[in-house]
Amino acid sequence: MHGTLFMGADMGAALWRSTDRGRTWTQKTAGLHPNCEVKALLVKGGETVFAALPGGGVFVSRDHGESWTQVNNHLLDLNIYSLTEAADGAILAGSSTGGIFRSDNDGGVWVETEGNPIQGAVLALVTDSAGAIYAGCGWRGVLFSADGGRTWTPSSSGLENSYIHCLAIHNEGYILAGTSAGEIYRSAGGGEPWVRIDRGAISDNVVAIATERAGNIFAGTTGHGAIRSRDGGDSWENADIGLQGLGVGSLLCGDGFLLAGTSSYGVFRSTDGGASWSAAKSYFPADPERYDFLWAPNSLSVDSCGTYYLLNRRSMVRSRNGGKTWVRACHGISYTLNCLAIHPNSSLLAGTEFGIFISNDSGDSWSLADTSSIARTAVHALAVAKNGAIFGNTDNGVLRSTDGGASWENVFNEAPVTSISTGSGGCVYIGTEYRGVLGSSDNGATWSRMTDSLDIYSVKADRVGNVFAVYGKGVLCSSDGGAVWKTIQPGGNYYWYGIVAAPGGEVAALFDDDGKLFISEDCFSSWKTVPVPFGDSSLFMSPDGYLFIGNRLAPGMHRSKTAL
């Protein structure tokens, strides 16, 4: 197809084509099964393209991707995860149940192959220059076929981890395998044993491997970008400038360029052998009310200049135009992101699975705030008091910093803490699993119980003196800083999922078990139900009163069209 590229994505009938070496992409889904992911693509003879769709089987296009036709005759499992072409032109498809199917007529009829003892998804299929075929399977290692995929034998000797995510053929003839334990193996092929070659360079799942014509090897991981080997796998180095902290689920080595498909941010491109990467033109539809590149947002913060920072577990993005467009703002953080806070001195603080990071340039760069052992822990929530003290809910209890995050000390570890918030009057509130809400008015030196011994899901203090505490099927509200509480209930027998307050004191609450959003605009006296586009969601309120809803189960971010 003279340089035409195809890309599949996990977004429901998501298949894209590029005719300019990956710089820009257009969607090509006519005829594809709706709401299916595209797990594998295969180009045969330069003209015919096959696509594997879990739940949809195999589709074929004979017009450069303009239209697609389903070819599933006698295909016993429609959950297809991998494709390859045998030396004789037959097509092989690997399924979710371990079955490997072969077609001698481009998908006209499929026949299940023999000798496959695997009961686990066949996630990868590759064919070497000699015609041998290898299958990488979840939890069952590697299979080998010397007869074009008609029969199979196990070939896993030497593998310490048997969950194979990906396979690749090096131009020198050996086989490469990436596993779920962050390991890369090499084998001479033909059933020869595997030798581990990653030397501990990876801490995440290895889900993609590709090799350049010059022999360089690239490996993509689920959360730490990509690594590169220039010597056949004997040594490794980071190749992730521009990819730090991203999940790289696919890699392609072209003639003078590389492409990396990421889990949340589309396609990245490198023209310097992987030394640096930049985003290709976004392939998501433009929609000012929805941002499909975001996934499971769990924190929204706004600084004094009106810049929005939106955080999910995979990455962080920044908007300087009220959330209409976003750019990535987490270079230098390679750990799972849990929470974000903004200090009065304008610095940003990010809590990760392995400590607290700080940025003094609006998220363009980050560094570890404190390297001491007490701070090198999972940080689940951050809150900044009016006097600038920072509080963190961590695996080591509640930590406090009074020097902008440079050093930390423990101020509470008497009960499991679920959430933390700071009030307008300077009080700090924590929600606990069995001791209810506790508050401190002396910067965390002492704590007093403010409610009954409830399991508190979340506690939230707003800017006008209200404090809210969510517990199971109820919500407590205090308008005097926690001295007196009342129960607020808009109706229904639901579990509350989250609660936020607009600047004027009105409240928006989301129920997690029925997907209903309730809003009060008269200080909780009456409530109205507002339809939302999805159920299990996260909820945020900007300082100017706009409501943001993020789907925890699928891509998407919605913003109310008007302020509440």
Side-chain angles (χ1 to χ4, degrees), residues 290-470:
R290 186 174 184 195
Y291 310 106
D292 280 312
F293 62 93
L294 303 174
W295 183 274
N298 59 1
S299 178
L300 175 68
S301 300
V302 184
D303 67 15
S304 59
C305 298
T307 301
Y308 286 27
Y309 296 91
L310 186 61
L311 184 73
N312 63 18
R313 293 183 65 81
R314 298 177 180 181
S315 192
M316 184 190 309
V317 288
R318 177 183 68 207
S319 173
R320 290 193 167 110
N321 56 9
K324 294 182 175 64
T325 59
W326 301 83
V327 296
R328 187 165 173 256
C330 59
H331 297 292
I333 302 179
S334 58
Y335 299 104
T336 299
L337 290 156
N338 295 329
C339 52
L340 179 70
I342 300 176
H343 195 269
N345 66 9
S346 298
S347 63
L348 304 179
L349 296 139
T352 76
E353 61 181 340
F354 202 56
I356 299 169
F357 284 73
I358 189 167
S359 173
N360 294 307
D361 53 12
S362 301
D364 289 333
S365 62
W366 294 82
S367 60
L368 196 62
D370 183 359
T371 59
S372 64
S373 59
I374 192 173
R376 295 307 299 267
T377 182
V379 181
H380 307 292
L382 289 167
V384 181
K386 193 173 183 179
N387 62 5
I390 310 165
F391 294 85
N393 175 22
T394 79
D395 282 355
N396 288 338
V398 176
L399 303 184
R400 180 188 64 192
S401 173
T402 57
D403 55 10
S407 62
W408 296 80
E409 60 181 330
N410 187 288
V411 294
F412 182 86
N413 58 6
E414 298 174 11
V417 176
T418 59
S419 57
I420 189 167
S421 184
T422 53
S424 58
C427 190
V428 183
Y429 304 91
I430 57 175
T432 68
E433 287 188 3
Y434 54 81
R435 294 186 59 186
V437 176
L438 282 76
S440 175
S441 57
D442 55 9
N443 223 31
T446 60
W447 298 85
S448 59
R449 184 178 296 179
M450 294 186 161
T451 67
D452 294 335
S453 298
L454 301 168
D455 285 334
I456 302 297
Y457 176 77
S458 65
V459 62
K460 176 70 175 179
D462 68 14
R463 296 189 298 169
V464 295
N466 295 313
V467 185
F468 307 97
V470 179

